[in-house]
Amino acid sequence: MCGIWGLISQDEAESRRAALAAAFRFIDRRGPDARADQQFAFGHHHVQLAHTRLAIIELSALGAQPMADAGSGWWIVFNGEIYNYREIREELRSAGHSFAGGSDTEVLLRAWAVWGTDALRRFNGMFVFAAFNHRSGELWLVRDRFGVKPLLWGWRADGALAFGSSAAGVAEQVGAEIDTAYCARGVRYKAYETAQSGSSFKQVKSVPAGCWVKFQLSAERIDVSEGKWYCLTTAVAARRAALACLGDSALMDECRACFDSAVSLRLRSDVPLAVSLSGGLDSTAIACATRRQVTQLRAFSFGSPAAPTSEGPATRIMSHTAGIDVSFVWPRWSSRELCDMLETTMAFQEAPFSGLSPIAQNAVFRDTSAAGFKVLLGGQGSDEIFAGYRKFMPIALRAALVARDPEGTLRLLYSLALMLVHEAGQARMYMQNLARYNGKGKTFSLLAWEADTQNLWGESDLSLSDRQIADIQQWSLPTLLRYEDRNSMGYGVESRLPFLDYRLVEFALALPARLKIANGFGKWALRHITSDLVPDLIRLNRKKRGFDVTQDWIAQGLGASLRARIFDHRTALGGALKSGAQLDALLSDAALSQSPDLLDEALLLAWLVKPTRTPAVMPPQASRQEAWT
């Protein structure tokens, strides 16, 4: 896991040095172990590649970047992990290739030099890379299947090309004009990113998930072409056809094997690793599967066993049962510390975010890093691939009705009724979320912008699987992955997500609806295959909760911090603030606490005060960790 950056320009040497120094400010936190750069000349073009390293595999200098494949002329800067690098290395060795070290970077580079874009389908991992051939003048920017890692690029006014891991870092080169449509969409639907767009700046583009962008340098110009190397819809259709002959028992056996393999591959590391743990099924399944292969396993969890409204009590019971040592992250921040943590999270994210959970997530990664861990396994992606969100029940029911499937309709009606009975206490939350799904427009209270109307339910003939794919590519996962990547890499921690192993994603999406939603549960297949792994207290818990913050941070100082930022910069925010908005009332602690939508608008305005922040270093005592055994 690392930070990458590059610039192709015709700048003078002094300007290039200044650009490089500025770039390192934005990517140093992603790779705190080392930094390096490489310079090339191609015609009138000056090519710069820069890298900051988080050493996880092959800790020696043999894994350093930028890395060259001398025989082919290719150089690479790479961010991510190729989990199956050992298998690919053996395939290449059997074809006569040799390797100097043991890094996955060297394997990726040689595979690219030998197979080109055909290498990409062989990779099981999360990755982005820039590959430059100093002989041919080709520069390729490539992104993984689901966009787990970021890769941004843009054109400067003078025709120079900038790219890298940091949206703010690229924006400093090409322009930082705010994309108001991106921001308004995010506040309205809690979904900022998509598989295609991942930047809040108009001039900064994102390499789409599963795609590549090629830049061909010639004497005086740079030509650009784009292509797609992975299509999730096509892959799921092929997987569904291959599974059509299997019965339910065989499907569950294969699902368990796929899950086990996904976890095992992500345990490959030359540094100690830990797990993220909550009282929910997803992270517990990952933690328990990991515990079977790691003797002494450390976990980090947001909550406290002494706080009944948090996930701490359930997590403590589970950790004792599974024999996992848990560090509970339950910060008791002063008003000043809350203000600092808000600032740090905004700087890490380089874009607006919804709610307070990204700040809590930031605290978890902070304490993980402070404890000396560079790798943390988490449960992100399970709800999307196994149909865990509540919305999937009515969507599946609609699909059964359209298909005139009476058996499926009755089964889903039963599940929906059970779910509603057991979660009646969360009716207020249902009503708040329903506004996002009813397809009607929304008028903001603080913002002068408007968001395009979107139908989050999808068209009436959309299958459950197709609607899940929409969540993976547009409505849920891309934004959650941005939160996870920026918060983890802000502290030099690699977040590994077994549920996003492409084999498991394709398999889970290809399962019939009856194995995803059953007996009042979503994620039925996952609950079934973990029956001997996860305690029933968690596995069969019908009440679903997200990564929430139950501490009253708004009253404890966060509300005051938001008010100060907005009031102090009302002039600068004039184009974004709604004329005549009653700020005193709308920004009160009571209003911000009662309305998640209002809080999101305030968070966006606070971020707009300075969109291209560089991360500040927080004092180590800012977060206090409770250790429970």
Side-chain angles (χ1 to χ4, degrees):
M1 295 307 258
C2 309
I4 66 176
W5 178 83
L7 180 67
I8 302 177
S9 70
Q10 297 184 21
D11 293 347
E12 297 297 327
E14 184 177 349
S15 295
R16 298 200 303 272
R17 284 193 296 269
L20 181 63
F24 278 131
R25 296 201 317 269
F26 288 99
I27 64 172
D28 270 341
R29 278 182 168 268
R30 297 184 70 91
D33 295 330
R35 60 152 69 168
D37 67 281
Q38 187 68 35
Q39 311 281 329
F40 309 90
F42 190 90
H44 294 286
H45 303 287
H46 297 288
V47 180
Q48 298 171 269
L49 297 180
H51 187 263
T52 57
R53 187 182 184 200
L54 178 64
I56 303 294
I57 294 173
E58 179 57 87
L59 307 184
S60 77
L62 292 174
Q65 301 179 48
M67 183 180 287
D69 186 70
S72 64
W74 285 104
W75 284 78
I76 198 167
V77 284
F78 160 52
N79 169 30
E81 296 286 358
I82 307 298
Y83 299 118
N84 64 333
Y85 73 99
R86 296 176 185 172
E87 290 77 8
I88 297 173
R89 183 173 58 198
E90 289 310 307
E91 183 179 356
L92 288 165
R93 276 179 173 163
S94 67
H97 298 275
S98 60
F99 295 86
S103 73
D104 59 334
T105 305
E106 187 179 9
V107 173
L108 186 161
L109 179 57
R110 184 62 53 82
W112 178 260
V114 173
W115 296 314
T117 55
D118 286 342
L120 301 176
R121 60 181 176 82
R122 291 175 161 90
F123 298 153
N124 187 342
M126 52 180 181
F127 56 87
V128 293
F129 64 86
F132 177 67
N133 193 304
H134 67 91
R135 298 171 186 169
S136 65
E138 298 173 63
L139 172 71
W140 291 72
L141 303 183
V142 181
R143 197 171 184 203
D144 61 54
R145 291 172 177 85
F146 308 119
V148 180
K149 309 311 295 179
L151 186 51
L152 297 307
W153 65 279
W155 298 106
R156 247 175 28 190
D158 63 0
L161 170 71
F163 60 89
S165 303
S166 165
V170 174
E172 287 243 316
Q173 281 289 316
V174 306
E177 183 183 358
I178 298 300
D179 186 340
T180 57
Y182 169 99
C183 294
R185 164 201 164 97
V187 174
R188 171 69 177 92
Y189 296 106
K190 321 300 181 189
Y192 288 93
E193 317 294 323
T194 70
Q196 289 74 37
S197 66
S199 166
S200 52
F201 306 104
K202 283 187 176 180
Q203 295 93 333
V204 180
K205 303 177 182 180
S206 175
V207 177
C211 292
W212 53 260
V213 182
K214 178 187 176 184
F215 302 91
Q216 179 63 60
L217 280 60
S218 58
E220 297 290 345
R221 55 187 289 183
I222 304 175
D223 294 317
V224 59
S225 58
E226 302 182 49
K228 188 176 185 69
W229 66 270
Y230 179 75
C231 176
L232 179 58
T233 300
T234 301
V236 171
R239 194 72 164 128
R240 184 179 295 113
L243 298 175
C245 62
L246 297 181
D248 288 359
S249 178
L251 286 172
M252 290 299 93
D253 289 343
E254 188 166 342
C255 187
R256 177 59 185 267
C258 196
F259 171 75
D260 289 343
S261 177
V263 173
S264 295
L265 273 182
R266 283 155 183 78
L267 300 183
R268 293 178 172 179
S269 172
D270 292 339
V271 298
L273 52 80
V275 296
S276 174
L277 187 59
S278 70
L281 172 64
D282 308 334
S283 63
T284 301
I286 299 297
C288 290
T290 302
R291 177 65 181 83
R292 289 187 169 182
Q293 301 183 57
V294 177
T295 304
Q296 293 183 325
L297 182 62
R298 182 83 168 270
F300 292 84
S301 179
F302 187 82
S304 170
T309 58
S310 77
E311 293 186 307
T315 302
R316 180 172 62 176
I317 293 172
M318 196 289 300
S319 67
H320 285 172
T321 302
I324 299 173
D325 179 19
V326 180
S327 292
F328 288 93
V329 182
W330 195 242
R332 294 183 286 268
W333 286 317
S334 68
S335 177
R336 178 70 244 177
E337 290 168 337
L338 272 168
C339 180
D340 289 344
M341 199 61 175
L342 172 62
E343 178 67 22
T344 298
T345 306
M346 289 192 295
F348 285 4
Q349 288 297 315
E350 301 185 327
F353 55 84
S354 292
L356 302 183
S357 59
I359 302 176
Q361 184 189 59
N362 189 300
V364 172
F365 284 117
R366 175 187 172 85
D367 286 358
T368 301
S369 176
F373 290 95
K374 288 184 175 182
V375 177
L376 191 73
L377 272 68
Q380 196 76 266
S382 174
D383 282 312
E384 287 81 4
I385 72 171
F386 282 111
Y389 293 128
R390 302 172 184 89
K391 65 190 175 191
F392 287 134
M393 285 195 185
I395 288 171
L397 176 59
R398 181 186 65 185
L401 288 168
V402 170
R404 298 182 179 180
D405 174 9
E407 183 179 347
T409 298
L410 290 173
R411 184 168 51 243
L412 288 163
L413 278 171
Y414 174 70
S415 286
L416 182 61
L418 276 178
M419 185 268 289
L420 291 173
V421 167
H422 284 88
E423 297 202 0
Q426 302 190 73
R428 182 172 178 269
M429 180 191 65
Y430 277 113
M431 296 307 296
Q432 288 176 338
N433 284 313
L434 187 61
R436 288 192 292 136
Y437 283 83
N438 63 12
K440 297 180 181 179
K442 173 183 172 60
T443 300
F444 294 121
S445 299
L446 292 168
L447 293 172
W449 306 330
E450 296 297 333
D452 292 339
T453 300
Q454 304 283 344
N455 177 14
L456 270 63
W457 292 113
E459 298 302 321
S460 60
D461 59 348
L462 203 66
S463 70
L464 173 61
S465 178
D466 286 339
R467 184 55 184 80
Q468 290 177 264
I469 290 174
D471 252 27
I472 291 170
Q473 295 181 330
Q474 182 172 3
W475 294 120
S476 172
L477 192 60
T479 298
L480 295 176
L481 289 177
R482 190 251 287 175
Y483 295 166
E484 182 114 7
D485 172 81
R486 308 313 191 269
N487 277 332
S488 62
M489 295 306 289
Y491 294 110
V493 174
E494 174 177 295
S495 176
R496 294 184 173 183
L497 307 173
F499 286 116
L500 293 185
D501 185 302
Y502 77 94
R503 302 166 302 168
L504 185 57
V505 172
E506 294 170 4
F507 184 92
L509 291 174
L511 287 173
R514 67 178 182 275
L515 296 182
K516 298 175 188 177
I517 299 172
N519 304 312
F521 293 102
K523 294 186 287 197
W524 178 250
L526 181 60
R527 297 176 197 278
H528 180 83
I529 67 171
T530 57
S531 60
D532 63 339
L533 195 65
V534 176
D536 284 352
L537 173 70
I538 292 172
R539 188 177 69 90
L540 300 180
N541 182 11
R542 293 185 185 275
K543 292 186 178 180
K544 179 175 177 56
R545 63 185 294 174
F547 184 15
D548 54 0
V549 176
T550 57
Q551 294 162 298
D552 192 4
W553 284 351
I554 292 175
Q556 291 167 10
L558 205 58
S561 177
L562 289 170
R563 285 190 293 276
R565 293 167 194 269
I566 295 170
F567 277 113
D568 290 349
H569 297 89
R570 273 179 291 185
T571 301
L573 293 171
L577 271 173
K578 176 178 283 190
S579 177
Q582 301 299 310
L583 296 184
D584 288 322
L586 292 172
L587 293 175
S588 68
D589 285 351
L592 294 173
S593 298
Q594 292 170 8
S595 171
D597 292 339
L598 198 58
L599 175 61
D600 287 351
E601 292 183 52
L603 287 166
L604 169 60
L605 289 168
W607 175 79
L608 284 172
V609 168
K610 190 179 180 182
T612 56
R613 299 166 169 83
T614 51
V617 178
M618 290 184 66
Q621 70 271 20
S623 172
R624 301 184 180 92
Q625 174 180 296
E626 298 179 12
W628 299 75
T629 57

